[in-house]
Amino acid sequence: MNKSFIISAKVKNIDMKFKVVPELFSPQGIDKGTLAMLSVVDFTEGDRVLDLGCGYGVVGVLAAKTIGTSNVVMLDKMSAAVKCAKENALLNGVSEVKVYQSDGFRDLPEKDFSLILSNPPYHADFNVPKEFIEKGFNRLVIGGKIYMVTKRKDWYKNKLISIFGGVKIWEIEDYFVFMAVKKDSHYANAKHR
């Protein structure tokens, strides 16, 4: 692993510090897309939060500092991200938060989330966000919400509508923040089953 360094940030009036390494996403500071997503999310007592693709742990640490560690789970495919997320949970006084290394939902035993938040990787194809949306739906409680932030609009809008039956979209700077609510135990468009 390359040399690590610490960045400081204040998000939603909460001061945090993060150890980062160059090979992780947005090592120079918290990604503007993540900040855009967090600007429209409210964590409330009783929420059960999944930081899906947590990177070095910004969303999960903020959620844990807001609603407590017992209701927050962080997950990433990369071992360097998982290591940094665990260290950052400790660094920010929320070390009891659960952090899993998993390729998508494959090795995640947890379910019944009320909030899933993700800043999915921007790939030429949509395999990763497709899995995040479809499998994320199944991990949410009825009334649970998925939030995603991307630089692309149409594919995400259409996919979220086909699975959840609707979507709310915010345009913040150069990003689109999507929020969809699970209203039923079945996909809105049953042919996607």
Side-chain angles (χ1 to χ4, degrees):
M1 194 180 284
N2 293 326
K3 186 172 168 58
S4 65
F5 52 96
I6 302 287
I7 59 172
S8 296
K10 186 172 193 160
V11 182
K12 291 190 175 278
N13 291 317
I14 296 177
D15 291 310
M16 298 176 287
K17 291 185 185 319
F18 295 97
K19 175 183 173 183
V20 296
V21 292
E23 65 263 32
L24 295 181
F25 174 67
S26 196
Q28 70 285 355
I30 299 175
D31 171 66
K32 288 181 181 174
T34 298
L35 292 173
M37 178 175 63
L38 289 171
S39 76
V40 300
V41 174
D42 289 314
F43 299 109
T44 55
E45 196 174 332
D47 274 335
R48 188 156 155 69
V49 178
L50 173 61
D51 180 359
L52 178 58
C54 66
Y56 49 84
V58 174
V59 171
V61 167
L62 177 66
K65 289 182 79 65
T66 305
I67 61 168
T69 58
S70 62
N71 288 326
V72 178
V73 174
M74 296 192 281
L75 161 96
D76 204 285
K77 180 179 177 176
M78 292 179 57
S79 58
V82 170
K83 183 175 188 283
C84 277
K86 287 179 179 177
E87 290 173 359
N88 288 328
L90 181 63
L91 187 62
N92 287 281
V94 292
S95 60
E96 298 84 20
V97 72
K98 293 178 185 168
V99 185
Y100 293 95
Q101 183 170 354
S102 179
D103 183 359
F105 292 94
R106 196 163 295 136
D107 297 313
L108 178 69
E110 312 269 339
K111 59 181 181 177
D112 298 329
F113 294 100
S114 59
L115 292 175
I116 296 177
L117 293 90
S118 185
N119 183 348
Y122 305 139
H123 290 302
D125 68 60
F126 292 97
N127 288 335
V128 172
K130 179 180 185 287
E131 178 186 333
F132 282 11
I133 292 166
E134 291 176 357
K135 297 229 163 64
F137 177 92
N138 297 321
R139 299 292 178 117
L140 285 168
V141 296
I142 299 291
K145 300 173 184 174
I146 188 168
Y147 286 85
M148 297 187 116
V149 61
T150 73
K151 288 201 168 206
R152 296 177 174 183
K153 183 178 180 182
D154 293 339
W155 185 91
Y156 287 89
K157 174 185 168 188
N158 294 335
K159 185 64 178 177
L160 286 161
I161 289 171
S162 77
I163 300 300
F164 286 84
V167 67
K168 181 171 183 176
I169 304 169
W170 293 267
E171 194 169 342
I172 302 172
E173 294 185 28
D174 294 332
Y175 294 91
F176 297 101
V177 179
F178 302 88
M179 185 276 292
V181 180
K182 181 175 178 176
K183 297 176 182 167
D184 195 302
S185 58
H186 302 288
Y187 290 167
N189 186 346
K191 72 180 181 191
H192 287 281
R193 293 174 120 183

